Amino acid sequence: MSPRAYRLGRRQEAVGLTRSTILAAARDLVTELGHDFSVGKVAQRARVSRITLYNQFGSKAGLLEALTADARASHATPPAGHDPDGRTQLRSRIGHACATWAADPSLYRRLQEHAAWAGEDSEHDRSLTERLAAGDQLRPGCSIKEAEDVIGIVTSFQAFDRLHKGGRRSPSAVAEILTRMASGVLSLGHPYE
């Protein structure tokens, strides 16, 4: 390995660490301050210059988009195990989403206030819906689009937050309620068969 390649690898590692430090600071400040957070406050909390922050994210909107992308990635799909059927995959997806939302509901609530947050993951919803349809696990007359919308709703932060009630219900209890809702609408049978 040439010395130049070694330095480049260490440089990329440092850039990644700086990026994650900035995102962690931004998550904290968005949770604490909501709309009142600023690029300057994030840079100060992350102990980097504003220039470094702008080089990484371009703008406050770019920083919010990165936070949103990070949030979407963490809730989108549960870790893959063996090839489960559609029902098992849906239960797992709902449970994983609830656990993710429960980890930092204040952050997700604040991200919703910003235009960058859409909270949807339609590619994964569509894929799971097609898997359910292929396994003949949808209610007769339930269209792919209807099932996709239901999956989007039951895995959304908004549904979780409404049922979680500020922690008065556990994430697993919320997941159970959402799974029953999905099972009823999609005719998946008893949620724990």
Side-chain angles (χ1 to χ4, degrees):
M1 179 186 294
S2 72
R4 179 177 166 84
Y6 176 72
R7 283 193 307 267
L8 182 58
R10 295 204 42 145
R11 173 76 179 124
Q12 288 172 330
E13 186 179 306
V15 168
L17 183 59
T18 299
R19 183 178 179 83
S20 63
T21 301
I22 293 169
L23 284 171
R27 266 191 300 277
D28 291 346
L29 286 168
V30 166
T31 300
E32 291 170 23
L33 305 174
H35 290 293
D36 294 333
F37 92 98
S38 68
V39 169
K41 289 176 184 176
V42 172
Q44 184 178 14
R45 173 84 52 107
R47 296 185 175 175
V48 299
S49 70
R50 285 174 157 196
I51 298 293
T52 298
L53 194 142
Y54 282 116
N55 284 337
Q56 286 281 331
F57 301 99
S59 64
K60 182 178 178 178
L63 179 58
L64 280 171
E65 286 175 22
L67 276 176
T68 300
D70 206 34
R72 282 193 193 115
S74 67
H75 106 276
T77 49
H82 68 290
D83 196 19
D85 72 354
R87 287 182 221 184
T88 303
Q89 192 176 0
L90 179 58
R91 277 186 225 107
S92 180
R93 171 104 183 268
I94 292 169
H96 178 74
C98 288
T100 301
W101 301 137
D104 198 350
S106 297
L107 171 67
Y108 298 115
R109 209 171 285 118
R110 294 293 190 169
L111 282 176
Q112 277 186 283
E113 297 170 4
H114 298 284
W117 177 258
E120 57 184 72
D121 191 15
S122 59
E123 182 180 318
H124 291 290
D125 296 346
R126 179 78 173 189
S127 173
L128 179 52
T129 301
E130 288 171 351
R131 184 174 195 146
L132 290 164
D136 201 26
Q137 297 172 328
L138 296 179
R139 162 182 59 72
C142 181
S143 71
I144 296 286
K145 184 61 180 146
E146 179 185 350
E148 186 179 332
D149 290 342
V150 168
I151 291 169
I153 289 167
V154 298
T155 59
S156 70
F157 174 73
Q158 296 86 344
F160 168 81
D161 199 34
R162 173 113 188 210
L163 294 168
H164 189 237
K165 299 202 177 281
R168 289 185 297 230
R169 280 194 184 115
S170 70
S172 60
V174 173
E176 186 176 324
I177 293 167
L178 291 170
T179 301
R180 282 195 311 265
M181 289 171 63
S183 295
V185 173
L186 302 176
S187 292
L188 299 174
H190 188 275
Y192 298 103
E193 286 181 341

